[in-house]
Amino acid sequence: MPALPTRAARLGALAFLLRPTYVLTEVVTAAATRGGYSFVSDSVSRLGEVGCTPDYCSPKHAVMNGSFIGYGVLLAGGAALLARPLGPWVTGLLVVSGASSVATGLAPLDQDATLHAIAATPLFVGQPVALLALGHRLREERPVLAKGLLVTGLVTGAAAVGFILSGDEQVGGALERLALWPVLGALAAYAWPHARRRTG
């Protein structure tokens, strides 16, 4: 019989289950922009730009940057609380990814583009690798989920490479979101059983 989830594991699972709401912060921030914003061609980071130009402004940039920080804390904290079932490698990768998200929120793109890129890179590397490692870890215990995690890891990893290579051209925003958004659902699917109180 699988071990009952501990209180720490349930709290960590709750953190992962809350993270898909991150998408709403992008929608809210994008809706408030002036000058036009495209989810297909514009990067997420443009929503966090602090300064305004005659052509573009993101008045709710604080919402976006705060979201990077808050949801990064949920990722790192959730992983730490779920460290036992996740295993040390997956936990470490997700904690680093969460810290990267926090750093991204503290270094807006238009304030220092180089620092912003350095801050964000571990997130794009760490999350796909974590999903691949977690899928491998669960291949016997939860085979269906394991396959889903492996596929998601491959897709998000390929999208991350595509985003980095494409820069801000044409479909850069779509590739970036393909690298980020599926991870939210994948980790929530993993977390769901850990969030429930099970009785013998």
Side-chain angles (χ1 to χ4, degrees), residues 40-55:
V40 174
S41 59
D42 290 327
S43 71
V44 178
S45 297
R46 288 204 73 202
L47 295 173
E49 290 185 357
V50 175
C52 291
T53 69
D55 296 323

Side-chain angles (χ1 to χ4, degrees), residues 34-177:
R34 298 196 297 267
Y37 181 86
S38 170
F39 279 82
V40 174
S41 59
D42 290 327
S43 71
V44 178
S45 297
R46 288 204 73 202
L47 295 173
E49 290 185 357
V50 175
C52 291
T53 69
D55 296 323
Y56 176 79
C57 187
S58 179
K60 292 188 179 297
H61 58 81
V63 172
M64 197 70 256
N65 291 323
S67 175
F68 292 151
I69 295 169
Y71 286 94
V73 169
L74 286 177
L75 178 57
L81 290 167
L82 283 164
R84 180 171 293 180
L86 285 173
W89 286 104
V90 176
T91 300
L93 287 164
L94 293 179
V95 168
V96 169
S97 297
S100 172
S101 179
V102 171
T104 301
L106 295 173
L109 177 63
D110 63 329
Q111 300 299 295
D112 190 328
T114 300
L115 181 60
H116 181 84
I118 293 172
T121 297
L123 178 68
F124 287 95
V125 176
Q127 289 192 134
V129 176
L131 292 183
L132 291 172
L134 184 57
H136 179 73
R137 180 180 175 85
L138 296 175
R139 64 192 185 282
E140 294 183 3
E141 179 185 344
R142 298 171 68 183
V144 175
L145 176 63
K147 290 179 181 178
L149 291 169
L150 291 170
V151 170
T152 305
L154 290 172
V155 170
T156 54
V161 172
F163 168 67
I164 292 170
L165 294 178
S166 71
D168 292 329
E169 298 297 326
Q170 299 177 345
V171 295
L175 286 171
E176 185 179 18
R177 289 173 173 86

